[in-house]
Amino acid sequence: MKFTIGWLHEHLDTAADLDTVVEALTRIGLEVEGVHNPGDALKAFRVAKVLTAERHPQADKLQVLSVDAGDGPMQVVCGAPNARAGLVGVFGPPGAYVPGLDVTLKVAAIRGVESNGMMCSTRELELGEDHDGIIELPADAPVGTAFPDYAGLNDAVIDISVTPNRQDCMGVRGIARDLAAAGLGTLKPLAVAPVAGEGEAPNVRTDDPAGCPAFYAQNVSGLTNGEAPEWMRRRLTAIGQKPISALVDITNYVSIDLGRPLHVYDRAKLSGGLVARKAQDGEQIVALNGKTYALTPAMTVIADEHRVHDIGGIMGGEHSGVSADTKDVLIECAFFDPDHIARTGQALMLTSDARQRFERGVDPAFLDDGLAIATQLVLDLCGGTPSSVTRAGQPPLTPRIYTYDTDKAETLGGLAVPADRQRAILESLGFAVDADWNVTVPTWRRDIDGAADLVEEVIRIDGIDKVAPVPLPRTPGVTRPTATPEQKLERRVRRAAAARGFDEAVTWSFLSEAQAAPFGGGAWSLANPISEDLKVMRPSLLPGLLSATERNLKRGITSVRLFEVGRRYLSDAERPTLGLILAGNRRERGWRDGKAAGFDAYDAKAEALALLAAAGAPVDNLQVMGEAGDAWHPGQSGTMRLGPKTVLAKFGMLHPSLLKAFDLDGAVAAVELYLDALPARRASGFMRPAFTPPALQSVRRDFAFLVPAEVTADALVRAVRSADKAAITAARVFDVFTGTGVEEGKKSVAVEVILQPTDKSFTDETLKAIADKVVAAAAKQGASLRG
């Protein structure tokens, strides 16, 4: 919400300076996001008079002017058609920055004639769109005066953040009311006089009392829609609104000034009367923003006999908008239900100033006054003859009355405020308080719902900074742990990933539909997303990490090692997950190793095993199975499972088509750990006994097996390890060979087996018996001892 300090003074009689106003706004809950003085950008420009104007010797369309800006004559070359002797305009000296041209003026020769600055047009100073000639000021404008001072441009613009519950502060008057209650001045009375009309009143009605309970309207005939007055255009321009025409500017001005959205229809473009009703299936409207919207029966619209002209309370239609030729208008002042407005805006993904106000809740008692103010402005600025007023429907005006206990300011708000002071605060905000402290809520405060809200009003106006800080009660003794087992698990894997050299990333929980599709698509989509690229709740952490990887690689990072701990959003639940990406170079090029080397599936497998071990998973019991899915590279990916169904992790290389979709070149390895699939720790005791170093030295034995090519090394090692669980403590593959000496369809796999004696050393007979068990176990996998 933006407004100027001069605009505020229209409603607030105050001597407070800008800094005091800004401090008070934030103190009472209207956070100031910025303060900007548009005159600062034009402080170098001055009022100047053209003394003489002669034709340029080298160009017929240029003139050589002698300009006095208070420091004596200066020579200026000008191409404006209206430049002439005696004209008073705006002069930019050398060194001045011209915002509309994005240039800094300097002394320069133009077609051989020196020019010292320039005479400026409205567009060049970003004060309007006129560029047909230089600005013409009244003949009595004081020469040499700084142009912002003369034009009244030194009117600071304040931008405040209005929370959704403060609908009353979506207008300058509501802000002035709050400041007056805070002691910064007196709220000026709002002068409203009904506009006495004549002739037939507008033909309007509401057939949708739920969406549009009240529809008030008044006609004005025989008007002239010209340019709005300079004071109105200046205020609208200062807050970023583009002046269009008097009729449009009036509706924008009243909306911002009083928080009362209005709409004006060109009656020549209407067929019959207007009705507020539900849209019909298949109806469409081309809105004022030029876009076409498909309407549904859940939406409230304003229509005539033939077509829809307005998305009720959100945006008017292009067809019935006013233009320079408009002579007869219908001024609409309606009340729309906030919930209906919010749902329609979300469904159409359409926002506007009107929607922002209606969905928060405008004052339902301000229909007559709002219409009268707008109609009077139209008559004052455009002329014409008003009609009588049509009042269709009934706005919701049921009073809300709450019994208030003044002690709650201290017991609930933490600040003891005298009862008389509380009464004064509430009454200054528009509440009515009787002798028994029955408080009637003003119609413009939809957010007040009980005594607690009244306490909030008292505390914020009296000064929330006065509330003493009070620590929460604390139980004596040693603090009890508060982290849940799930939080502790996430903490362990996060620290383990960081310790292994990975950088933690935090990515969006939302994706585009295209990014979610390779991972099975999103089970949940947002009805009102920030953008289409953030619409689907992520089914995997990898898309966000891949986007981060792409940004890093394109900015020259040669090795990307990222991880994230977060949630996947599946159809049945949220799933805690760790995602991990390895991209770029695993090893940089060097004199010893030669070329740089990238990451492969074995790197991903090693990281998955290390992180699972840190999480407490029984990694020795894991089975490596199958490919991980469509997003993964076939033959270069897999899953780690406890049994055939419990998947703890997916690892390997990502599919080339997926990498192409994320604009990534080269191979990328990845891991996803499913933290909720990890077996829970025992409720009591330890999962394994304390480490006791063995008293006897271990024995190592090597076995070379010939196995069918399709048998995995993991299956062979698992079989070998289970041959004698008491004696065999570990087994691992240390060589795989195919080629000369190994028959077709087989491979040679060498396994190192570690044997650990317990109470006595192994004898030769014991070792042979264990070896026989190993060979027998391997044979069940189709392996035979290699000779």
Side-chain angles (χ1 to χ4, degrees):
M1 174 68 190
K2 292 183 179 180
F3 59 94
T4 69
I5 196 72
W7 198 338
L8 179 68
H9 286 160
E10 292 291 322
H11 296 279
L12 183 68
D13 186 3
T14 180
D17 59 15
L18 176 63
D19 290 340
T20 304
V21 170
V22 168
E23 185 277 331
L25 285 169
T26 298
R27 174 165 47 84
I28 61 178
L30 301 174
E31 182 182 358
V32 176
E33 293 192 329
V35 179
H36 168 65
N37 189 345
D40 289 344
L42 303 178
K43 60 184 178 181
F45 295 84
R46 291 180 286 170
V47 176
K49 184 175 183 178
V50 178
L51 303 177
T52 62
E54 299 179 357
R55 189 177 67 84
H56 192 290
Q58 303 297 329
D60 292 337
K61 294 185 178 181
L62 297 179
Q63 296 187 75
V64 180
L65 310 180
S66 176
V67 175
D68 179 15
D71 298 324
M74 299 183 70
Q75 182 171 280
V76 176
V77 177
C78 180
N82 63 332
R84 63 187 183 276
L87 179 146
V88 178
V90 181
F91 171 69
Y97 174 75
V98 184
L101 300 178
D102 192 25
V103 298
T104 299
L105 299 175
K106 59 183 179 180
V107 178
I110 301 177
R111 301 291 293 270
V113 176
E114 183 179 278
S115 180
N116 301 275
M118 69 180 293
M119 297 295 288
C120 303
S121 70
T122 301
R123 186 191 298 176
E124 288 162 347
L125 299 185
E126 293 188 340
L127 298 175
E129 295 299 319
D130 185 14
H131 194 56
D132 294 335
I134 57 179
I135 297 172
E136 294 193 37
L137 301 177
D140 59 353
V143 173
T145 303
F147 177 62
D149 294 338
Y150 171 78
L153 297 177
N154 287 318
D155 192 4
V157 177
I158 302 174
D159 184 6
I160 64 171
S161 175
V162 182
T163 53
N165 64 315
R166 293 305 309 277
Q167 67 279 347
D168 59 308
C169 288
M170 291 299 289
V172 180
R173 184 165 183 82
I175 297 168
R177 184 187 296 111
D178 260 24
L179 289 172
L184 257 70
T186 305
L187 184 68
K188 297 180 180 179
L190 186 63
V192 182
V195 178
E198 57 187 38
E200 186 178 358
N203 178 14
V204 300
R205 71 180 192 274
T206 175
D207 292 347
D208 179 20
C212 179
F215 187 173
Y216 290 13
Q218 189 168 17
N219 289 334
V220 177
S221 305
L223 57 80
T224 301
N225 185 22
E227 190 177 53
E230 190 272 338
W231 64 266
M232 182 179 288
R233 287 186 285 112
R234 184 171 67 243
R235 285 180 180 171
L236 292 174
T237 300
I239 64 171
Q241 293 274 352
K242 180 181 177 181
I244 298 174
S245 68
L247 289 173
V248 176
D249 294 349
I250 286 169
T251 62
N252 289 335
Y253 184 83
V254 174
S255 179
I256 297 164
D257 186 50
L258 302 171
R260 175 66 252 186
L262 304 152
H263 191 64
V264 178
Y265 298 89
D266 188 334
R267 295 204 330 260
K269 300 175 181 178
L270 302 178
S271 299
L274 289 179
V275 57
R277 60 168 173 81
K278 293 296 186 186
Q280 300 171 2
D281 277 327
E283 284 189 315
Q284 294 183 332
I285 182 173
V286 180
L288 287 172
N289 60 6
K291 296 181 180 180
T292 301
Y293 295 94
L295 307 173
T296 70
M299 301 174 181
T300 302
V301 298
I302 307 297
D304 62 12
E305 296 176 356
H306 297 299
R307 68 168 70 189
V308 173
H309 288 287
D310 190 348
I311 306 172
I314 297 180
M315 188 172 288
E318 190 177 70
H319 177 264
S320 58
V322 296
S323 65
D325 300 326
T326 297
K327 301 299 181 184
D328 305 310
V329 298
L330 181 150
I331 305 173
E332 167 217 301
C333 185
F335 180 84
F336 296 95
D337 177 70
D339 294 338
H340 281 72
I341 292 292
R343 287 193 292 268
T344 299
Q346 291 169 0
L348 298 177
M349 291 189 289
L350 175 61
T351 186
S352 66
D353 288 343
R355 174 191 166 184
Q356 289 181 346
R357 287 166 172 80
F358 275 122
E359 72 179 352
R360 293 169 186 238
V362 301
D363 184 359
F366 198 68
L367 292 172
D368 272 317
D369 288 350
L371 183 59
I373 290 170
T375 302
Q376 190 61 57
L377 281 171
V378 171
L379 296 175
D380 292 343
L381 304 184
C382 304
T385 303
S387 73
S388 301
V389 175
T390 299
R391 298 173 179 86
Q394 180 63 43
L397 295 176
T398 304
R400 288 170 292 139
I401 303 174
Y402 301 106
T403 300
Y404 181 62
D405 181 359
T406 57
D407 291 338
K408 286 185 178 293
E410 182 175 9
T411 59
L412 188 60
L415 186 63
V417 181
D420 290 345
R421 170 64 174 153
Q422 294 190 52
R423 181 185 294 272
I425 289 174
L426 292 173
E427 290 178 343
S428 65
L429 291 171
F431 296 86
V433 186
D434 67 13
D436 296 325
W437 284 95
N438 294 309
V439 180
T440 303
V441 180
T443 53
W444 58 80
R445 292 303 299 272
R446 177 172 173 259
D447 59 304
I448 301 299
D449 186 19
D453 289 333
L454 298 176
V455 170
E456 180 183 354
E457 294 300 297
V458 169
I459 298 301
R460 73 179 181 87
I461 295 298
D462 196 63
I464 197 170
D465 54 319
K466 298 178 183 178
V467 178
V470 178
L472 293 173
R474 182 174 180 178
T475 304
V478 178
T479 304
R480 295 187 180 94
T482 58
T484 65
E486 292 78 9
Q487 291 172 326
K488 292 178 180 179
L489 174 60
E490 290 185 10
R491 190 179 300 168
R492 286 199 304 274
V493 295
R494 179 178 282 111
R495 289 176 175 175
R500 293 186 65 80
F502 288 86
D503 297 310
E504 184 172 11
V506 179
T507 66
W508 288 103
S509 296
F510 311 105
L511 310 170
S512 66
E513 291 180 335
Q515 289 178 328
F519 299 89
W524 304 96
S525 296
L526 300 183
N528 186 28
I530 298 173
S531 72
E532 285 298 306
D533 290 336
L534 297 172
K535 182 177 182 178
V536 178
M537 299 191 77
R538 62 187 180 193
S540 169
L541 272 63
L542 296 183
L545 290 172
L546 287 172
S547 296
T549 299
E550 182 261 342
R551 289 191 296 272
N552 277 275
L553 291 176
K554 287 189 175 180
R555 284 160 178 75
I557 304 300
T558 59
S559 181
V560 177
R561 297 166 61 93
L562 295 177
F563 82 95
E564 180 176 10
V565 177
R567 297 289 189 272
R568 295 177 299 132
Y569 300 92
L570 307 184
S571 58
D572 57 342
E574 298 180 18
R575 301 292 185 181
T577 306
L578 181 142
L580 183 146
I581 288 288
L582 295 158
N585 296 334
R586 176 174 60 85
R587 183 190 69 234
E588 299 291 346
R589 64 180 181 175
W591 63 268
R592 182 177 181 180
D593 299 313
K595 293 182 179 180
F599 295 99
D600 57 28
Y602 295 107
D603 295 311
K605 181 180 180 182
E607 298 299 340
L609 287 170
L611 293 174
L612 286 171
V619 292
D620 290 339
N621 298 330
L622 294 180
Q623 295 174 271
V624 177
M625 301 176 66
E627 294 164 359
D630 294 340
W632 302 79
H633 196 300
Q636 297 185 34
S637 60
T639 60
M640 293 181 180
R641 309 186 183 210
L642 279 175
K645 294 184 179 180
T646 305
V647 180
L648 300 190
K650 293 182 179 180
F651 70 93
M653 309 304 293
L654 295 176
H655 199 285
S657 63
L658 176 66
L659 302 182
K660 184 178 180 181
F662 283 86
D663 199 19
L664 285 165
D665 297 325
V668 175
V671 174
E672 266 198 337
L673 261 61
Y674 306 125
L675 303 180
D676 58 332
L678 296 175
R681 292 197 171 193
R682 295 175 184 174
S684 61
F686 295 97
M687 292 190 69
R688 56 188 179 187
F691 174 68
T692 303
L696 301 174
Q697 186 172 349
S698 62
V699 178
R700 297 173 184 265
R701 288 290 184 268
D702 295 343
F703 297 84
F705 297 102
L706 286 174
V707 297
E710 65 272 11
V711 175
T712 64
D714 177 71
L716 179 62
V717 170
R718 191 180 300 277
V720 168
R721 196 165 54 230
S722 64
D724 189 332
K725 295 182 178 180
I728 299 175
T729 58
R732 69 180 185 90
V733 174
F734 68 88
D735 183 62
V736 178
F737 175 75
T738 58
T740 305
V742 177
E743 63 182 277
E744 187 85 17
K746 292 194 174 184
K747 58 185 176 183
S748 172
V749 179
V751 179
E752 179 189 56
V753 179
I754 300 176
L755 310 174
Q756 180 61 57
T758 54
D759 54 346
K760 61 180 179 180
S761 298
F762 291 126
T763 64
D764 290 341
E765 291 78 9
T766 305
L767 291 175
K768 184 178 184 309
I770 295 173
D772 290 342
K773 291 179 182 179
V774 168
V775 173
K780 293 180 181 180
Q781 298 294 322
S784 60
L785 198 62
R786 185 177 178 186

